[in-house]
Amino acid sequence: MLLIHALNALWKFVPVLIGLAAVGNGLGSALFYLGVGMPVAIGVIRYLTTEYRVTADRVELRRGLLERRTTSAPLDRVRSIDLTATLPHRVLGLTTVVVGTGEAASLGDRISLDALPTPAAGALRTDLLHRAQADAEPADGAGAPASDQAAPARETVARFEPTWLLFSVFTSAGLVAFGAALGAAAYFAELVDVDVELLAEELSVPRVSVATVAGVVVSAGILALALTLGGYLVTNGNFSLTRDSRAWHVHRGLLTTRETSLDLDRLAGVEIGEAAAMRLARGGRLRAIATGLTGAAAGAVDLVPPAPRATVRAAAAAALDTPAPVDAPLRHHGAAARQRRYTRALLAGSPSLAAPAIAVAVGGAPLWTLAAAPALVALLLLLGRDRSRSLGHAWVDGYVVMRSGSLARRRTALAGEHVIGWNLRASWFQRRAGLVTVAATTAGGSGSTEVYDVPTADAERLADQATPGLLAQFRAGS
């Protein structure tokens, strides 16, 4: 444990050490050894002055030498527990435990226990989850002490398979990697002034040089593919989604491993993400809508990374304890909503429609460039059609289900018991069409889940089904 603290402190001083090493012999050498000794001493002091304890109702972390700081949180505020182990941690058999309490704490104020022995970290997680559940349910508190509780048996819901690597190509990271490779190839072509006619006629460069350039471009694409697949493998290798009687557990990571435990009572719903490229590959991803998480952690608990659609839907059904919110047909929003989707798609793409005419009139582009305008119109109409078909909502088995989006389609299922309010808003154009944007507010995820262009009567009916009587008191004349 002491070694990892010294290594962590030393790693932060690497740029300084490189500068000191470049100074040379004499004073530079002395400064270099001083630069090595200081961070090691800081790491040792940090280790010796840090301690934690778990009482009957709180978890506390104390640290600091000159300025003593104590961070404390009630056990009933424990929302999630992360176990993270970098490669050095794994070599030394250590793990970092981060206790998520749902409070917006800074990095210096969060409860992070670094370099615990891996068995002790696992036992601490089991202990904290058990105590938090016991505090939430006092009637069940009788029985064996938390420290004597064995880790409950786990059920595996999803596990990483090598075929999942193919879906990384269709994620935003994969598209960015291919775009970067294409840009690098274009820059290389401009740098060496690649031109087939110039190479073949003016400079009499053999055709093999063009083939060489093409090979460089292909190599760049292969490199981008390798980086995309490698990044997915490093991040999601050894992935598994399991559950027990207390929590969901998400384990992932090939080099740096991370396991997030989410209390079952904090799972308010799920979100199935199906971006346009991912839908072509019949894939998707699954995220949890979890209550009590704030900041970057809010709504960012990935239950399943990009994977086959069947796997994602099966995991969603397991998380909700029913497949109905995942598979049930949704209520469409009607002709007015469909017209707005088409209109908004055409208006958003109107600047692009003028681009071919401007290119011909100003830039001297060939007349056949004008043929791009009808193609763009057809593309925008297809986009409007897809966005219209994506709209839908339903009240199914106690869940508010909403779906919207085209390039980034999302289907959310939020438990009715976690809906704490409704936000029905309408622009001037929506009011004329009798439509509203419906947002179901909740304490989990991003704070609300919404769907666009819902007929007003349908929106009120959905709110009454999920939260009977809540909306009635705000209606005019009630």
Side-chain angles (χ1 to χ4, degrees), residues 52 83 92-95 97 116-127:
Y52 77 93
L83 304 184
L92 298 175
L94 304 174
T95 299
V97 180
L116 295 182
T118 299
L124 177 62
R125 175 187 56 191
T126 302
D127 188 16

Coordinates of all heavy atoms in Angstrom, one line a residue, residues 52 83 92-95 97 116-127:
Y52 N -9.6 5.6 7.7 CA -11.0 5.7 7.5 C -11.6 4.7 8.6 O -11.0 3.8 9.1 CB -11.4 5.2 6.1 CG -11.3 3.7 5.9 CD1 -12.5 2.9 6.0 CD2 -10.1 3.1 5.5 CE1 -12.4 1.5 5.8 CE2 -10.1 1.8 5.3 CZ -11.2 1.0 5.4 OH -11.1 -0.4 5.2
L83 N -15.1 0.2 -7.5 CA -13.8 -0.4 -7.2 C -13.0 -0.3 -8.5 O -13.4 -0.8 -9.5 CB -14.0 -1.9 -6.9 CG -15.0 -2.2 -5.7 CD1 -14.9 -3.7 -5.4 CD2 -14.5 -1.4 -4.4
L92 N 0.1 -5.2 -7.5 CA 0.3 -5.2 -6.1 C -0.9 -5.7 -5.3 O -0.8 -5.8 -4.1 CB 0.6 -3.8 -5.6 CG 1.9 -3.1 -6.2 CD1 2.0 -1.7 -5.7 CD2 3.1 -3.9 -5.7
G93 N -2.0 -6.1 -6.0 CA -3.1 -6.7 -5.3 C -3.9 -5.7 -4.6 O -4.4 -6.0 -3.5
L94 N -4.0 -4.4 -5.1 CA -4.7 -3.3 -4.4 C -5.9 -2.8 -5.2 O -5.9 -3.0 -6.5 CB -3.7 -2.2 -4.1 CG -2.5 -2.6 -3.3 CD1 -1.5 -1.4 -3.2 CD2 -2.8 -3.0 -1.9
T95 N -6.8 -2.1 -4.6 CA -7.9 -1.5 -5.3 C -8.3 -0.2 -4.6 O -8.1 0.0 -3.4 CB -9.1 -2.5 -5.1 OG1 -8.8 -3.7 -5.8 CG2 -10.4 -1.9 -5.8
V97 N -11.3 2.3 -3.6 CA -12.8 2.3 -3.4 C -13.3 3.8 -3.3 O -12.8 4.6 -2.6 CB -13.1 1.6 -2.0 CG1 -14.6 1.7 -1.8 CG2 -12.6 0.2 -2.0
L116 N -6.4 -0.1 -1.1 CA -6.9 -1.1 -0.1 C -6.6 -2.5 -0.7 O -6.7 -2.7 -1.9 CB -8.4 -1.0 0.2 CG -8.9 0.3 0.9 CD1 -10.3 0.1 1.2 CD2 -8.1 0.5 2.2
P117 N -6.2 -3.5 0.1 CA -6.1 -4.8 -0.4 C -7.4 -5.2 -1.1 O -8.5 -5.0 -0.6 CB -5.8 -5.7 0.8 CG -5.2 -4.7 1.8 CD -5.8 -3.4 1.5
T118 N -7.3 -5.9 -2.2 CA -8.5 -6.2 -3.0 C -9.5 -7.0 -2.2 O -10.7 -6.7 -2.3 CB -8.1 -7.0 -4.3 OG1 -7.2 -6.2 -5.1 CG2 -9.3 -7.4 -5.1
P119 N -9.1 -8.0 -1.4 CA -10.2 -8.7 -0.6 C -10.9 -7.8 0.4 O -12.1 -7.8 0.6 CB -9.4 -9.8 0.1 CG -8.2 -10.1 -0.8 CD -7.8 -8.7 -1.3
A120 N -10.1 -6.9 1.0 CA -10.6 -5.9 1.9 C -11.6 -4.9 1.2 O -12.6 -4.5 1.8 CB -9.5 -5.2 2.7
A121 N -11.2 -4.5 0.0 CA -12.1 -3.6 -0.7 C -13.4 -4.3 -1.1 O -14.5 -3.6 -0.9 CB -11.4 -3.2 -2.0
G122 N -13.4 -5.5 -1.5 CA -14.6 -6.2 -1.8 C -15.5 -6.4 -0.5 O -16.7 -6.3 -0.5
A123 N -14.8 -6.7 0.6 CA -15.6 -6.9 1.9 C -16.2 -5.6 2.3 O -17.3 -5.5 2.8 CB -14.7 -7.4 3.0
L124 N -15.5 -4.5 2.1 CA -16.0 -3.1 2.5 C -17.2 -2.8 1.6 O -18.2 -2.2 2.2 CB -14.9 -2.1 2.3 CG -15.3 -0.6 2.6 CD1 -15.7 -0.5 4.0 CD2 -14.1 0.3 2.3
R125 N -17.1 -3.1 0.3 CA -18.3 -2.8 -0.5 C -19.5 -3.6 0.0 O -20.6 -3.0 0.1 CB -18.0 -3.2 -2.0 CG -19.2 -3.0 -2.9 CD -18.9 -3.5 -4.2 NE -18.5 -4.9 -4.2 CZ -18.0 -5.5 -5.3 NH1 -17.8 -4.9 -6.4 NH2 -17.6 -6.8 -5.2
T126 N -19.3 -4.9 0.3 CA -20.5 -5.7 0.7 C -21.0 -5.1 2.1 O -22.2 -5.0 2.3 CB -20.0 -7.1 0.9 OG1 -19.5 -7.6 -0.3 CG2 -21.1 -8.0 1.4
D127 N -20.1 -4.7 2.9 CA -20.5 -4.2 4.2 C -21.3 -2.9 4.1 O -22.4 -2.7 4.7 CB -19.2 -3.9 5.1 CG -19.6 -3.5 6.5 OD1 -20.7 -3.7 6.9 OD2 -18.7 -3.0 7.2

